[in-house]
């Protein structure tokens, strides 16, 4: 059984302009010790979905299930949830400054975190463990740096501190929400390396939320591609990159500049993502899809298995067999025009 | 089989795809019109859905109407505002203010004048001082704040110190001193209030301008070769107006109360001019025997300031971009 | 000492030997320091060395990419080139004219020729003005065309950048990020400039939209014969758009070369490290390639390291690198247009991950992993 199974998750927010359907029927699962990448553009609902699982969204209407080690987190008591968060599920975010308290020393924050979940740990032991953790994430002179404040660390080092805190209680699942988006590439490489090493050493499962397909290719085992609050395609990493089914996945990959250099025109996706208020019926990607035909605008495609590959699923009406899919050709109209209406 | 996609052909869908609003953004689904809705219109639309603010606005309008038609009160009741009445109905046999009655709807004051008519006339003073002094305050504050914030350097240093000085002068003491030298008048009241209020507006505007100055759209204007004056008035000013309008709406009731306070202290308008603060001041000796004498002017003052305050709150919420952010979030 | 002394003025690194290339803008030894708050009342005044001695040429019709990490000074350099910032030192020539010290008035004609596109599609448009009037700004500011004409001009510009001209009266808030960036592009192109400085024009956009804007910029370059200075932290984007690329680190150019040359014949250890750190959107390549993980962060530009700015993080650093500033010059048998600021440049095929710095221990070390992590 998977470590975390999210089933038909719906999240919406009331706003003065109407009901925003941030997540619409998302289903995915995370295996122990593996990395699941959730990839999508801004507004795709990728962050909201994991925030909801750990009940960090306020004022949202939520339905669905999120079974973590046999218990539904969405209906769990606040007490149970507190025990799970931190101890079983560690979290890191894009901006470490927002989750580290600016007025407390880093060491103190880690010690408190450890002791909050296990009162029997002595301060001395917890402090030793904190230093160990800082060393583990590659912070030089960890014992000395325990007494520093968050602002005394650079961006990359701060993200390492966050990882150390998230890993303090050996969680089985680490949720990393755009952990390297704010970092420079050379520092990003360091942080990703730390995450990879920790996973190897401790067998932690990781949910990696990112918009960067490069990071997905480097880090993930499985991938969920999200668009307009729902999964468009789910597959193993290699299938997503080499044997994708969904036109959105295809569009994302094609719009990247070729890695080997090479000039010429890029192939963007036409238009822009839809508003999540009053979404029209049918496939949410249809208005931008170069393959779409009438049916796509009428009926929403289910997330079905494709290419006879277990675990490879796509929410698209295009043929589900490899040959049939290959035979489909996209229209190549003036897709440079972003304007609609 | 109709479920098979037409390969390489788009039936019925091409560049004329169904209209879609912009990603996020307020009113994403309704702004398909050609004409965009300005931030002002959006704020007004939000305000219109605020019940409390709209009721307050109606109350404010009613008070304004009362001020305009004050002479009508006088002619309907047949009591000019400063006319002192004697005899039964107007003054009690002991010479005390008379109860509300069919002749004097809200009773009379210690000199036998009609309180209703005087309240109606008093609203003219309150609104006039409130609006004019606030307008003056805002005008000075915006100009000073804009200059200090945008020009910076020595201009900023001098103006910022000036603001500090004005804000540290004890307002009431100076007001008392000034009025005792020049004598009380409407102009002096407005000038005194205006002079002591602009500094906080200037501070707000300066802060806003300092942050706006660093925004990329100002940089863009500079890279286009726009003059300082153009940047100040075309790019910066419209963006500081929202907080200024909010502040001004909330400043009006404060000014009204200050004016009433000055009158109460005898620094207001010379008698027999009807004004709320003065009326309350005159009533203090009589409140044990004539509750109406203090109650009605007090109520008028309270309702007016409350209406402005509630309306100001609504305006602030309407301009608050919080709602935009809610929708724009990931 | 300044390494500009190593460059004969007027012929920096022999660039003019490149036949048929005309220099549109030339920056010589540009420095830009920003004062930072004094520590204590009598403390010494510190400066951020944002740009610290940069010389480069922008040639007519080319796209020059400027790439580097946070704090490398690329955006500051852009604002120096467009004269949004006053230079602390150095000169900038545009179209043969020295514009370094031009007064505001004399600068106005230059402003028509040199335009900027900004990073933040939300911040670079005044939220309280209609799009038509934003795009029309350049016409108004420079007093060109009547009101009637202006609207027609603006609408044709909107059409050209892929916006619906009927949306003339809308506000920026009514548009998505990509559309807003198109508005910024239209404004920059209104007066048909010669040079457009693009400061991270696609960094805030999602990939699918990013490709739209990159295509648009490339089309416009062809149509209007534009010259671009294209600033980005994203190597793959810079590689895609640029004819030549300059790699910056802590206010200095580390390596400059024709784009393909830079990526195939990488000479500077920093360039190599940047390339290696860039995640590849290709699982096979990601699994097999060598990773050079630099230790530490970019040092503060307030007190930049002595000698070669990169030496504390460089796997090949020797004591010489601490003492002297390497000049930006041709190394090995590179083309004259390929210049590198390094005493120990990489030979072709050299494995940087095997290098060990010959400095004091602990200062810098290299962590290498071959990234065979797939389970």
């Amino acid at each position: 059984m998977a470590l975390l199974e999210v089933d038909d998750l719906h999240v919406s927010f009331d706003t003065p302009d109407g009901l925003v359907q941030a997540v619409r029927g998302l289903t995915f699962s995370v295996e122990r010790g593996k990395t699941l990448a959730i990839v999508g553009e801004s507004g795709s609902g990728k962050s909201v979905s994991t925030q909801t699982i750990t009940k960090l969204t306020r004022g949202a209407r939520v339905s669905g299930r999120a079974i973590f080690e046999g218990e539904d987190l969405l209906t769990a008591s606040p007490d149970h949830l507190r025990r799970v968060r931190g101890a079983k599920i560690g979290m890191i975010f894009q901006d470490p400054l927002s989750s580290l308290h600016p007025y407390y020393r880093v060491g103190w924050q880690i010690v408190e975190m450890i002791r909050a979940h296990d009162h029997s740990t002595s301060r001395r032991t917890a402090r030793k463990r904190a230093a160990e953790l800082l060393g583990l994430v590659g912070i030089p002179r960890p014992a000395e740096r325990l007494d520093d404040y968050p602002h005394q660390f650079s961006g990359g080092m701060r993200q390492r501190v966050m990882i150390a805190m998230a890993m303090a209680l050996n969680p089985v699942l680490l949720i990393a929400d755009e952990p390297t988006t704010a970092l420079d590439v050379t520092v990003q490489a360091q942080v990703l390396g730390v995450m990879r090493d920790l996973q190897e050493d401790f067998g932690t499962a990781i949910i990696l939320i990112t918009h960067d397909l490069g990071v997905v290719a480097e880090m993930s085992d499985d991938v969920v591609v999200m668009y307009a609050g729902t999964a468009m395609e789910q597959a193993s990493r290699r299938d997503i990159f080499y044997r994708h089914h969904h036109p959105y996945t295809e569009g994302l990959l094609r719009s990247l500049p070729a890695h080997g250099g090479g000039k010429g025109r890029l192939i963007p996706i036409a238009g822009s993502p839809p508003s999540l208020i009053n979404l029209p019926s049918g496939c949410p990607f249809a208005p931008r899809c170069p393959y779409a035909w009438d049916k796509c605008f009428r009926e929403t495609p289910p997330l079905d298995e494709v290419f006879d590959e277990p675990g490879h699923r796509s929410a698209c009406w295009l043929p589900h067999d490899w040959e049939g899919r290959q035979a489909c050709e996209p229209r190549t109209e003036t897709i440079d025009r972003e304007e609609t209406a | 089989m109709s479920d098979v996609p037409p390969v390489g052909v788009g039936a019925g869908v091409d560049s004329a795809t169904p209209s879609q609003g912009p990603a996020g953004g307020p009113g994403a689904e309704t702004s398909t019109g050609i004409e965009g809705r300005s931030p002002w219109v959006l704020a007004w639309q939000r305000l219109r859905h605020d019940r409390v603010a709209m009721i307050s606005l109606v109350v404010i309008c009613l008070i304004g109407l009362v001020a305009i038609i004050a002479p009508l009160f006088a002619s309907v009741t047949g009591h000019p505002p400063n006319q002192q009445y004697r005899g039964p109905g107007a003054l009690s046999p002991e010479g005390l203010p008379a109860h509300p009655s069919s002749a004097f709807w809200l009773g009379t004051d210690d000199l036998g004048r009609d309180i209703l008519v005087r309240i109606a006339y008093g609203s003219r003073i309150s609104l006039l001082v409130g609006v004019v002094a606030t307008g003056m305050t805002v005008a000075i504050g915006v100009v000073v704040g804009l200059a200090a914030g945008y020009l910076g350097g020595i201009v900023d240093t001098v103006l910022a110190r000036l603001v500090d000085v004005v804000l540290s002068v004890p307002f009431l003491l100076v007001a008392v001193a000034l009025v005792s030298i020049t004598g009380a008048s409407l102009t002096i009241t407005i000038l005194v209030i205006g002079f002591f209020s602009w500094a906080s507006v200037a501070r707000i505007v300066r802060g806003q301008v300092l942050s706006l100055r660093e925004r990329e759209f100002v940089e863009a204007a500079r890279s286009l070769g726009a003059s300082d004056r153009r940047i100040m008035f075309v790019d910066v000013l419209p963006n500081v107006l929202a907080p200024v309008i909010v502040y001004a709406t909330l400043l009006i009731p404060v000014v009204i109360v200050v004016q009433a306070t000055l009158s109460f202290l005898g620094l207001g308008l010379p008698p027999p001019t009807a004004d709320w603060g003065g009326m309350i001041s005159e009533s203090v000796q009589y409140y044990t025997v004539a509750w109406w004498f203090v109650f009605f002017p007090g109520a008028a003052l309270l309702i007016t300031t409350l209406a402005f305050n509630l309306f100001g709150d609504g305006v602030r919420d309407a301009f608050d971009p919080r709602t935009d952010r809610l929708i724009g979030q990931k | 000492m300044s390494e500009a002394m190593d460059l004969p003025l007027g012929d920096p690194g022999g660039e003019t030997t490149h036949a048929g290339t005309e220099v549109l803008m030339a920056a010589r030894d540009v420095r830009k320091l920003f004062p930072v708050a004094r520590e204590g009342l009598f403390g010494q005044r510190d400066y951020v060395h944002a740009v610290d001695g940069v010389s480069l040429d922008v040639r007519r019709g080319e796209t020059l990419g400027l790439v580097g990490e946070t704090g490398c000074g690329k955006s500051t350099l852009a604002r120096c080139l467009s004269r949004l910032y006053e230079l602390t030192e150095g000169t900038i020539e545009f179209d043969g004219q020295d514009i370094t010290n031009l007064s505001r008035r004399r600068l106005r004609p230059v402003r028509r020729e040199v335009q900027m596109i900004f990073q933040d599609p939300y911040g670079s448009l005044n939220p309280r003005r209609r799009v038509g009037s934003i795009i029309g700004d350049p016409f108004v500011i420079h007093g060109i065309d009547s009101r009637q004409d202006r609207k027609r001009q603006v609408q044709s510009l909107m059409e050209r950048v892929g916006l619906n001209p009927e949306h003339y009266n809308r506000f920026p808030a009514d548009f998505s990020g990509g559309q807003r960036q198109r508005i910024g592009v239209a404004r920059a192109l209104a007066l048909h400039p010669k040079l457009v400085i693009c400061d991270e024009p696609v960094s805030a956009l999602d990939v699918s939209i990013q490709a739209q804007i990159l295509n648009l910029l490339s089309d416009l370059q062809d149509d209007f014969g534009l010259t671009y200075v294209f600033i980005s932290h994203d190597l793959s984007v810079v590689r895609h758009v640029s004819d030549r690329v300059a790699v910056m680190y802590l206010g200095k150019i580390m390596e400059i070369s024709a784009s393909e040359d830079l990526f195939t014949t990488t000479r500077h250890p920093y360039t190599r490290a940047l390339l290696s750190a860039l995640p590849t959107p290709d699982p096979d390549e990601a699994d097999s390639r060598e990773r050079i993980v630099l230790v530490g962060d970019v040092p503060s530009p307030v007190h930049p390291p002595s000698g070669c700015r990169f030496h504390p993080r460089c796997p090949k650093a020797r004591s010489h690198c601490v003492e002297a500033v390497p000049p930006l010059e041709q190394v090995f048998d590179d083309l004259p247009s390929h210049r590198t600021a390094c005493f120990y440049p990489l030979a072709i095929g050299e494995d940087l991950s095997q290098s060990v710095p010959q400095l004091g221990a602990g200062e810098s070390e290299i962590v290498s992993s071959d990234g065979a992590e797939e389970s």
Side-chain angles (χ1 to χ4, degrees):
Chain A
M1 197 190 135
L3 177 64
L4 171 69
E5 279 181 22
V6 174
D7 185 30
D8 197 28
L9 181 70
H10 287 260
V11 185
S12 46
F13 298 91
D14 266 318
T15 70
D17 293 293
L19 191 68
V20 173
Q21 296 173 282
V23 180
R24 307 176 301 123
L26 180 66
T27 299
F28 66 85
S29 61
V30 188
E31 303 290 335
R32 277 175 199 280
K34 301 277 184 168
T35 300
L36 173 78
I38 302 182
V39 60
E41 301 180 278
S42 41
S44 62
K46 55 189 191 299
S47 294
V48 174
S49 51
T50 49
Q51 280 164 11
T52 307
I53 294 166
T54 50
K55 288 263 181 84
L56 289 176
T57 38
R58 255 183 238 135
R61 296 194 210 165
V62 179
S63 73
R65 289 183 309 157
I67 313 290
F68 176 74
E69 293 192 319
E71 190 146 358
D72 188 353
L73 292 179
L74 297 183
T75 55
S77 68
D79 233 28
H80 179 74
L81 210 69
R82 237 193 324 274
R83 274 199 304 275
V84 168
R85 261 198 318 241
K88 295 280 183 78
I89 300 180
M91 280 173 281
I92 53 180
F93 304 97
Q94 175 174 340
D95 176 15
L97 265 192
S98 64
S99 9
L100 287 171
H101 197 293
Y103 292 143
Y104 293 106
R105 295 171 200 280
V106 158
W108 187 89
Q109 296 189 46
I110 303 179
V111 167
E112 282 307 299
M113 156 100 193
I114 295 172
R115 281 169 47 86
H117 287 276
D118 184 4
H119 298 290
S120 62
T121 321
S122 73
R123 235 162 230 296
R124 182 185 287 274
T125 325
R127 205 178 144 83
K128 235 178 93 192
R129 171 90 180 117
E132 214 176 281
L133 284 162
L134 291 190
L136 211 60
V137 295
I139 292 176
R141 305 188 314 282
E144 296 164 40
R145 307 245 31 200
L146 280 179
D147 290 324
D148 283 348
Y149 291 94
H151 73 263
Q152 291 170 291
F153 291 83
S154 66
M157 286 297 159
R158 236 178 260 145
Q159 198 55 284
R160 288 171 194 243
V161 172
M162 270 306 296
I163 297 177
M165 269 178 91
M167 295 299 291
L169 296 153
N170 278 331
V172 285
L173 176 63
L174 180 69
I175 297 177
D177 190 348
E178 302 264 12
T180 57
T181 304
L183 305 176
D184 283 317
V185 277
T186 58
V187 180
Q188 164 171 292
Q190 297 166 359
V191 171
L192 293 180
V194 166
M195 287 173 61
R196 222 175 306 174
D197 292 348
L198 287 175
Q199 180 168 47
E200 201 159 276
D201 295 349
F202 299 98
T204 319
I206 299 177
I207 298 180
L208 177 68
I209 297 161
T210 181
H211 67 280
D212 187 331
L213 289 158
V215 172
V216 173
E218 303 241 345
M219 295 288 292
S220 66
D221 296 300
D222 297 294
V223 184
V224 178
V225 179
M226 280 188 79
Y227 184 78
T230 186
M232 294 282 109
E233 185 162 9
Q234 300 184 348
S236 72
R237 175 180 65 141
R238 306 186 67 81
D239 283 348
I240 284 291
F241 283 91
Y242 302 135
R243 279 171 69 82
H244 40 257
H245 178 270
H246 203 285
Y248 178 60
T249 315
E250 179 182 303
L252 274 184
L253 288 167
R254 288 212 301 189
S255 55
L256 292 173
H259 193 67
K263 296 274 182 284
R265 297 184 65 75
L266 298 168
I267 308 163
I269 304 175
S272 39
S275 153
L276 295 174
I277 304 170
N278 298 332
L279 265 167
S281 62
C283 172
F285 186 58
R288 303 176 71 190
C289 181
Y291 297 91
W293 75 103
D294 342 4
K295 182 178 184 181
C296 303
F297 290 93
R298 283 196 320 266
E299 293 168 60
T300 310
L303 190 66
D304 280 340
E305 191 175 294
V306 292
F307 302 158
D308 292 323
E309 290 164 350
H312 191 167
R313 295 188 293 175
S314 171
C316 181
W317 291 122
L318 289 179
H320 286 178
D321 60 300
W322 177 251
E323 284 75 26
R325 175 65 178 84
Q326 292 313 101
C328 303
E329 274 174 40
R331 289 185 308 278
T332 50
E333 278 142 31
T334 50
I335 52 176
D336 269 358
R337 197 152 265 283
E338 191 189 340
E339 199 53 45
T340 54
Chain B
M1 226 175 97
S2 71
D3 269 10
V4 175
V7 173
V9 186
V13 276
D14 48 18
S15 47
T17 45
S19 81
Q20 51 184 69
E29 82 281 21
T30 48
S31 64
T32 41
I34 301 300
E35 194 85 357
R37 291 179 300 168
S38 80
W40 308 110
V41 174
L42 284 173
W44 168 241
Q45 282 173 347
R46 260 178 242 137
L47 190 62
R48 237 177 30 196
H49 289 108
D50 184 341
R51 270 249 289 296
V52 175
M54 288 327 280
I55 293 172
S56 307
L57 184 61
V58 169
V59 171
I60 291 170
C61 290
L62 284 178
I63 296 167
L65 187 70
V66 167
I68 293 167
I69 62 165
L72 209 62
F73 281 84
S75 62
V76 166
T77 55
H79 304 143
N82 298 332
Q83 180 72 48
Q84 302 180 4
Y85 293 92
R86 310 273 149 187
L91 279 178
S92 73
E94 297 84 22
L96 293 172
H99 282 282
S101 63
S102 57
F104 298 94
W105 297 350
L106 299 183
T108 62
D109 65 8
D110 54 334
L111 297 177
R113 293 175 296 195
D114 190 327
I115 289 183
L116 173 66
V117 177
R118 287 182 67 77
I119 285 178
Y121 273 88
S123 69
R124 295 182 143 191
I125 304 289
S126 288
L127 289 187
L128 188 71
V129 173
V131 171
V132 174
T134 302
M136 192 174 117
T137 298
V138 166
I140 302 176
V142 166
V143 170
V144 171
L146 206 56
Y150 187 78
L151 298 176
I154 186 82
V155 179
D156 184 29
T157 314
V158 169
L159 290 177
R161 289 302 146 262
L162 185 63
V163 165
D164 290 339
V165 169
V166 169
L167 285 176
S168 18
V169 171
F171 163 66
L172 220 48
L173 283 184
V174 173
V176 171
L178 206 65
V179 171
S180 53
I181 296 167
T182 63
S185 75
L186 195 61
T187 325
I188 278 294
T189 308
I190 291 175
L191 285 180
V192 164
I193 293 174
F195 177 75
F196 281 101
S197 319
W198 65 266
S200 25
V201 178
R203 223 178 226 186
I204 294 173
V205 172
R206 176 177 173 270
Q208 292 276 329
V209 172
L210 281 182
S211 77
L212 282 166
R213 209 172 58 161
E214 304 302 320
R215 293 277 292 274
E216 275 188 344
F217 65 79
V218 171
E219 232 173 14
R222 282 177 52 214
S223 80
L224 287 170
S227 64
D228 276 339
R229 208 178 47 209
R230 185 179 161 84
I231 294 174
M232 254 161 81
F233 290 103
V234 175
D235 287 307
V236 175
L237 185 60
N239 285 287
V240 299
L241 282 187
V244 166
I245 288 172
V246 171
Y247 187 81
T249 342
L250 292 169
L251 188 63
I252 291 176
V254 175
V255 168
I256 290 176
V257 169
V258 167
Q259 187 271 331
T261 310
L262 288 178
S263 290
F264 184 87
L265 295 176
L267 306 169
L269 304 178
T273 317
D275 92 82
W276 296 348
M279 291 171 77
I280 296 171
S281 166
E282 288 153 14
S283 73
V284 286
Q285 302 163 41
Y286 298 94
Y287 72 95
T288 46
V289 289
W291 59 268
W292 56 91
F293 190 8
V294 65
F295 178 80
F296 290 113
L301 185 64
L302 182 74
I303 290 170
T304 309
T305 53
L306 190 65
F308 273 109
N309 271 316
L310 292 176
F311 181 66
D313 279 347
V315 173
R316 188 183 51 210
D317 290 346
F319 277 120
D320 194 341
R322 199 178 31 187
T323 46
D324 301 4
R325 240 182 287 136
L326 240 181
I327 296 169
Q329 75 176 344
K330 286 191 186 174
Chain C
M1 95 148 224
S2 128
E3 75 269 41
M5 289 174 184
D6 303 327
L7 303 169
L9 265 166
D11 184 17
E15 268 195 284
T16 41
T17 57
H18 228 253
T21 50
E22 190 193 339
V23 172
L24 180 64
M25 182 176 264
R28 289 292 168 267
D29 199 28
V30 171
R31 278 199 162 72
K32 178 68 189 174
L33 310 182
F34 294 103
V36 290
R38 228 178 282 253
E39 265 187 45
L41 212 51
F42 306 102
Q44 225 182 343
R45 192 115 356 260
D46 279 336
Y47 291 93
V48 175
H49 298 248
V51 176
D52 208 356
V54 166
S55 301
L56 52 79
D57 288 343
V58 185
R59 298 175 194 154
R60 205 180 288 274
E62 78 167 350
T63 300
L64 172 66
L66 279 182
V67 69
E69 297 180 279
T70 315
C72 73
K74 54 190 192 299
S75 286
T76 308
L77 179 60
R79 283 162 173 73
C80 288
L81 293 180
S82 66
R83 278 288 319 270
L84 273 178
Y85 290 165
E86 297 294 325
L87 305 193
T88 309
E89 255 178 61
T91 58
I92 289 170
E93 257 179 44
F94 176 74
D95 229 358
Q97 183 193 10
D98 185 343
I99 62 164
T100 322
N101 296 309
L102 285 190
S103 68
R104 229 182 153 120
R105 184 186 304 274
R106 306 263 313 279
L107 201 60
R108 272 169 67 97
V110 179
R111 293 250 180 255
R112 286 183 62 170
E113 311 276 5
V114 182
Q115 281 298 315
M116 277 194 85
I117 296 171
F118 295 88
Q119 168 176 7
D120 180 4
Y122 293 83
S124 59
L125 305 177
N126 190 336
R128 305 217 172 255
R129 296 181 57 204
R130 292 175 196 275
V131 163
S133 96
I134 292 176
I135 300 176
D137 250 1
F139 299 113
V140 180
I141 290 168
H142 291 278
I144 300 164
D145 296 341
S146 64
R147 187 171 289 265
Q148 205 76 75
D149 237 23
R150 201 177 298 146
K151 177 162 181 180
R152 204 178 39 74
Q153 288 260 26
V154 168
Q155 290 195 327
S156 89
L157 269 167
M158 289 178 75
E159 176 108 54
R160 182 64 198 84
V161 298
L163 292 166
N164 185 342
E166 291 176 2
H167 293 167
Y168 184 85
N169 276 330
R170 284 195 180 181
F171 285 85
D174 298 328
F175 294 86
S176 66
Q179 290 170 321
R180 290 184 200 207
Q181 202 53 298
R182 287 171 195 262
I183 296 169
V185 171
R187 173 176 58 187
L189 291 186
L191 300 177
H192 296 277
K194 288 181 180 151
L195 176 67
V196 179
I197 296 169
C198 313
D199 185 13
E200 305 253 15
V202 295
S203 302
L205 305 175
D206 282 319
V207 279
S208 66
I209 308 297
Q210 177 176 311
Q212 296 175 1
I213 301 295
L214 290 177
N215 278 349
L216 175 68
L217 288 174
S218 136
D219 291 349
L220 293 170
Q221 181 165 40
D222 295 344
D223 291 1
F224 296 103
L226 298 172
T227 304
Y228 287 140
V229 172
F230 191 99
I231 293 158
S232 179
H233 67 274
D234 187 333
L235 272 168
S236 53
V237 169
V238 165
R239 180 178 197 174
H240 178 82
V241 301
S242 308
D243 301 305
R244 290 192 307 139
V245 176
V247 180
M248 286 185 74
Y249 186 77
L250 277 177
K252 283 188 179 296
I253 293 180
M254 296 280 119
E255 188 170 5
I256 181 167
S257 154
S259 179
E260 273 327 291
D261 211 18
L262 185 87
F263 290 93
T264 52
T265 327
T266 309
R267 293 299 187 195
H268 202 288
Y270 176 62
T271 314
R272 174 74 72 82
L274 259 188
L275 278 170
S276 130
L278 186 72
T280 339
D282 182 335
D284 282 344
E285 212 185 310
D287 290 348
S288 61
R289 76 199 174 93
E290 158 220 60
R291 283 201 188 88
I292 304 154
V293 180
L294 290 177
V295 165
D297 296 298
V298 181
S300 151
V302 177
H303 301 290
S306 65
C308 172
R309 300 271 157 112
F310 185 55
H311 83 255
R313 301 175 78 195
C314 181
K316 289 191 78 176
R318 308 281 191 278
S319 52
H320 188 36
C321 306
V322 185
E323 290 148 15
V325 180
L328 187 64
E329 62 186 12
Q330 210 175 325
V331 295
F332 297 120
D333 51 354
D334 282 342
L335 293 169
S337 59
H338 189 166
R339 290 177 291 137
T340 311
C342 183
F343 292 124
Y344 307 100
L346 295 164
I348 293 171
E350 184 177 336
D351 186 357
L352 188 57
S353 59
Q354 301 302 312
S355 303
V356 180
Q358 317 267 300
L359 294 169
E363 256 274 71
S364 146
E365 56 185 294
I366 189 82
V367 175
S368 158
S369 79
D370 55 7
E373 234 72 20
E374 223 212 335
S375 30

